[in-house]
Amino acid sequence: QVQFVESGGGLVQTGGSLRLSCAASGITFRRDAMAWYRQVPGQQRVFIAAISNAGNTNYLDSVKGRFTVSRDNAKNTVYLHMNSLKPEDTAIYYCNTLPFYADSWGQGTQVTVSS
């Protein structure tokens, strides 16, 4: 069973930092590209960052230079380091593979950035 468990969210002021973690199970983690997505209530979930099995990264333009995605294959865990946070980064953050498993979204972790 494919499962993703996100953690690390919270309330932070503008300009602050957070590190999100996502533990994956039920997949061959080291083989798969992993990605982070976020969703604002009432809006579609959107892609924000990905890391390939070789460590190559890709980012949504609005987070480039502020967010860094990394992975630890020994722990089946992907991370999202977020710096210089802005109120528009407020959302629920999810991880999944890329392309994603449509029926395996986790609960996500809430990130709230106060102005």
Side-chain angles (χ1 to χ4, degrees):
Q1 179 181 0
V2 177
Q3 188 174 16
F4 304 103
V5 179
E6 301 90 351
S7 62
L11 173 64
V12 63
Q13 291 184 333
T14 296
S17 300
L18 285 173
R19 188 186 79 160
L20 307 184
S21 300
C22 171
S25 59
I27 62 173
T28 306
F29 185 85
R30 64 182 181 277
R31 176 198 67 190
D32 290 332
M34 297 299 299
W36 285 93
Y37 306 80
R38 68 186 181 190
Q39 186 172 25
V40 175
Q43 298 182 19
Q44 285 191 329
R45 188 177 288 137
V46 297
F47 162 89
I48 54 171
I51 183 166
S52 73
N53 57 4
N56 299 310
T57 58
N58 190 30
Y59 298 93
L60 180 71
D61 283 348
S62 62
V63 307
K64 280 182 182 177
R66 300 188 298 120
F67 291 11
T68 302
V69 59
S70 62
R71 64 191 296 159
D72 185 336
N73 289 342
K75 296 181 178 180
N76 283 12
T77 299
V78 61
Y79 303 98
L80 186 67
H81 305 257
M82 305 186 295
N83 297 318
S84 302
L85 282 161
K86 304 175 181 181
E88 51 264 44
D89 295 318
T90 296
I92 301 173
Y93 285 69
Y94 302 88
C95 78
N96 206 314
T97 54
L98 181 71
F100 55 78
Y101 284 89
D103 296 329
S104 298
W105 293 101
Q107 293 297 309
T109 186
Q110 174 73 49
V111 172
T112 304
V113 185
S114 63
S115 57

